[in-house]
Amino acid sequence: MVNVPVWLWIATIVGLLVLIAIDLVIVDRKPHEVTIGEASRWVVFYVALAVLFGLGIWMFSGWQFAGEFFAGYITEYSLSIDNLFIFVIIMSTFSVPAIHQHKVLLIGILMALVMRGAFIAAGAQLIERFTWVFFLFGAFLIYTGWKLAFTGHDDEEFKENALLRIVRKVLPVTKDYHEAKSFVRIDGKRWVTPMFVVMVAIGSTDLLFALDSIPAIFGLTKETYLVFTANAFALMGLRQLYFLIGGLLNKLVYLSIGLSVILGFIGVKLILEALAGNQLPFINGGQPLDVPHIGIELSLSVIVGVLAITTIASLIKVRRDPEAVKQLD
């Protein structure tokens, strides 16, 4: 798996593009509000694809790499679910018509996937050249987990980032939507519409979330191909999940705590691996340390277990105390 052939990379990217094209043709051919049933079928479809892909890795490359893919995929998908809180706020802030929300998510997430690909490539190069970067990744994940556990989403609101401010400053933006168009010509002048702006908002905001999710998955696998495909499958299935559980998000009252535990766990795992391969002269004289090794089986068990406990505990809490439901408005 270390030396993934170029043809496999090409085939994977082409396959993703085909899926996106099919999605555009089938779902966005006639813009409409996505129903629960439709979203459910697409979620099952994308999850099934991810499972089949993982089984294919198991068949051709063994359980170790398959386990790394599944652990990475579940982690990325879980962190993506957390991102949906912000997506709900963005859609509300920009008053995106329900019939166009699917296209906004599709294009926005496609932009995010391209940017994440560049981020993954840069992270892989850093890890290959500087093993001590695991110390930074681990410390950052532990800090992020601690912050997420104590802040959650209670005070979270969408604030336009630098990229969006540049877009508004450089490009003329229309006040109203023009159906699903991103660009329109008015009185001979080309304008961008709020549709384009919200797509940039989704894509750039997701990239900010990647600052913790990418280091997290590198803590589970060092294989760039697995990191990329796990991210791709998680993002591709995220759009339909938005419509499927959008109304249930506010019931996952302990989601932030569960994700913080996962981030903290992976952070500790990264630091242990950094110590095991230590080359920093001010730590043990530049020699590796004999520290416990956390295998992929334990990692996968912890991730799945924490998510299961978090979900069950959240539903029990909301059932006993309806006032505990989060407000996304």
Side-chain angles (χ1 to χ4, degrees), residues 109-234:
I109 289 176
L110 179 59
M111 294 169 56
L113 182 58
V114 172
M115 291 187 286
R116 281 197 182 204
F119 195 31
I120 290 169
Q125 290 298 315
L126 277 175
I127 292 172
E128 183 177 348
R129 297 184 181 183
F130 310 105
T131 55
W132 52 263
V133 78
F134 278 168
F135 285 112
L136 299 181
F137 280 2
F140 177 72
L141 289 179
I142 292 174
Y143 167 74
T144 302
W146 174 85
K147 184 177 179 182
L148 184 60
F150 288 96
T151 62
H153 300 273
D154 294 337
D155 301 320
E156 223 166 37
E157 62 180 21
F158 177 71
K159 296 180 180 179
E160 293 194 356
N161 54 43
L163 181 57
L164 282 178
R165 291 194 294 271
I166 291 174
V167 168
R168 288 191 180 277
K169 184 176 181 180
V170 174
L171 302 174
V173 182
T174 62
K175 182 179 180 181
D176 301 317
Y177 286 90
H178 291 258
E179 297 179 342
K181 297 177 180 178
S182 298
F183 303 91
V184 293
R185 186 175 293 276
I186 302 177
D187 297 329
K189 182 179 180 181
R190 183 174 291 276
W191 294 69
V192 299
T193 70
M195 181 71 70
F196 176 82
V197 177
V198 73
M199 288 176 183
V200 174
I202 293 290
S204 57
T205 300
D206 180 84
L207 185 63
L208 294 177
F209 286 117
L211 293 177
D212 56 37
S213 66
I214 298 300
I217 192 172
F218 270 119
L220 298 169
T221 178
K222 310 303 182 295
E223 299 294 335
T224 307
Y225 180 75
L226 297 182
V227 173
F228 175 77
T229 51
N231 270 271
F233 277 110

Side-chain angles (χ1 to χ4, degrees), residues 135 267-278 289 291-294:
F135 285 112
V268 171
K269 182 177 186 295
L270 276 172
I271 291 177
L272 290 176
E273 291 189 16
L275 291 172
N278 176 59
L289 283 78
V291 294
H293 172 69
I294 300 177

Side-chain angles (χ1 to χ4, degrees), residues 4 44 84 88 91 153 174 182 194 244 257 289-290 292:
V4 177
V44 171
L84 292 182
V88 170
M91 292 293 190
H153 300 273
T174 62
S182 298
L244 179 61
I257 295 177
L289 283 78
D290 184 16

Side-chain angles (χ1 to χ4, degrees), residues 9 12 39 48 52 68-69 89 97 99 116 134 163 169 194 199 209 255 258 262 295 300 318-320 327-328:
W9 275 102
T12 301
L52 289 175
E68 291 177 4
F69 169 78
I89 295 173
I99 63 173
R116 281 197 182 204
F134 278 168
L163 181 57
K169 184 176 181 180
M199 288 176 183
F209 286 117
L255 179 62
I262 292 174
L300 189 55
V318 170
R319 184 175 181 179
R320 293 180 176 177
Q327 298 298 320
L328 296 178

Side-chain angles (χ1 to χ4, degrees), residues 85 152-154 248-258 310-311 313-318 321-326:
F85 283 99
H153 300 273
D154 294 337
L248 301 177
L249 282 174
N250 56 355
K251 295 184 179 181
L252 299 178
V253 294
Y254 294 132
L255 179 62
S256 295
I257 295 177
T310 297
T311 302
S314 294
L315 296 179
I316 292 175
K317 173 66 175 178
V318 170
D321 181 14
E323 295 183 0
V325 174
K326 294 183 178 182

